[in-house]
Amino acid sequence: MNPGLKLFLILIISLEISLVPNLGANLIIIGACLIYLLFKHINLKKLFLLFIIPLFAASVVFITIYYFTPSRSLYQACVLFTRIYAYVFLGAAFTETTSFLALARSLEQNFKLPSKFAYGTLAAFNVIPKIHAEVNRIRLVGDMRHYHLSFYSPALYFKAILAAISWSNSLADGMISHGYREDKERSVIVPIALTKKDWLIFSSIIVLLQPILFLLK
């Protein structure tokens, strides 16, 4: 499925389940996403983490609704518990099967996102590993000077921001030297197709979701 259209599909489904409290729909969405991820051969460790990481937040929400609200509704507590997992699995169904590069190209080619946003976001995404390495280097230098920089230390983030500012200038110079011009039309090296099949899948899922949301209880 087209990456950009898949993103909009995930956003629409997330918005609908946030507005309509339906336990059955949440469970069906979680099950459908789980089947899809298994079909795409997701790593079992990642799949295990998808169940474990949201458990604390979901449990807190469940306990709060069931024990500390006047209605003490078990149904509403279960709805909010499963909604968190629905969000997590919807996000995983997108992120684990879609590359960020393909998404940026799709948004630019198929949905008319300005190239400066597409390339700027792509550049920022690709520089994340470098930022992580720079933060580790800053902490290591601090330890060598007997000055520990914890993850919440303002000095750590101030130094990282200074490094990022320096990289931004180098990145801009690099893009210009490679021929990037904001106001010029760019050629397409890797075309991302938006086909009738993509629209059919998108429309079918949206149509099938409506009776599940509004009729299934």
Side-chain angles (χ1 to χ4, degrees):
M1 188 177 182
N2 179 273
L5 199 59
K6 187 190 296 185
L7 175 62
F8 291 127
L9 175 63
I10 297 297
L11 292 176
I12 290 172
I13 295 175
S14 300
L15 178 61
E16 287 200 296
I17 64 174
S18 68
L19 298 175
V20 182
N22 191 313
L23 178 60
N26 292 346
L27 293 175
I28 290 174
I29 290 171
I30 293 170
C33 290
L34 179 59
I35 294 171
Y36 179 68
L37 289 170
L38 291 173
F39 178 75
K40 292 293 185 178
H41 306 290
I42 185 176
N43 184 283
L44 292 181
K45 181 180 178 181
K46 289 183 178 180
L47 188 61
F48 176 74
L49 291 176
L50 289 177
F51 284 100
I52 295 301
I53 292 177
L55 182 60
F56 177 75
S59 299
V60 169
V61 170
F62 179 90
I63 293 171
T64 302
I65 297 299
Y66 187 62
Y67 289 101
F68 299 102
T69 58
S71 62
R72 294 194 174 187
S73 172
L74 177 61
Y75 181 81
Q76 289 298 329
C78 291
V79 166
L80 293 179
F81 182 90
T82 55
R83 183 181 290 173
I84 291 176
Y85 274 96
Y87 288 145
V88 169
F89 275 87
L90 282 169
F94 178 76
T95 57
E96 293 297 324
T97 61
T98 309
S99 73
F100 192 81
L101 178 58
L103 175 62
R105 285 171 171 165
S106 173
L107 292 176
E108 182 193 12
Q109 296 174 27
N110 307 132
F111 298 96
K112 309 305 178 184
L113 181 71
S115 61
K116 62 181 179 181
F117 292 112
Y119 285 90
T121 305
L122 186 60
F125 182 81
N126 288 329
V127 88
I128 288 176
K130 189 174 181 181
I131 293 175
H132 184 265
E134 180 66 17
V135 169
N136 289 335
R137 187 191 69 81
I138 294 171
R139 296 183 68 176
L140 179 60
V141 171
D143 290 339
M144 293 174 64
R145 296 177 178 177
H146 303 288
Y147 184 72
H148 179 67
L149 295 172
S150 59
F151 73 93
Y152 54 81
S153 173
L156 174 64
Y157 294 102
F158 179 73
K159 294 176 182 293
I161 289 172
L162 291 179
I165 292 174
S166 174
W167 294 338
S168 67
N169 293 328
S170 300
L171 180 61
D173 293 339
M175 291 179 69
I176 292 174
S177 67
H178 281 78
Y180 177 81
R181 294 295 184 274
E182 181 180 333
D183 56 342
K184 301 296 183 181
E185 184 177 353
R186 296 184 59 80
S187 58
V188 176
I189 299 177
V190 180
I192 304 294
L194 180 58
T195 64
K196 293 181 180 179
K197 180 181 177 181
D198 294 324
W199 283 111
L200 179 61
I201 295 173
F202 175 87
S203 303
S204 299
I205 294 175
I206 293 297
V207 170
L208 289 173
L209 180 63
Q210 305 316 305
I212 294 174
L213 278 173
F214 296 101
L215 299 179
L216 179 64
K217 296 295 182 181

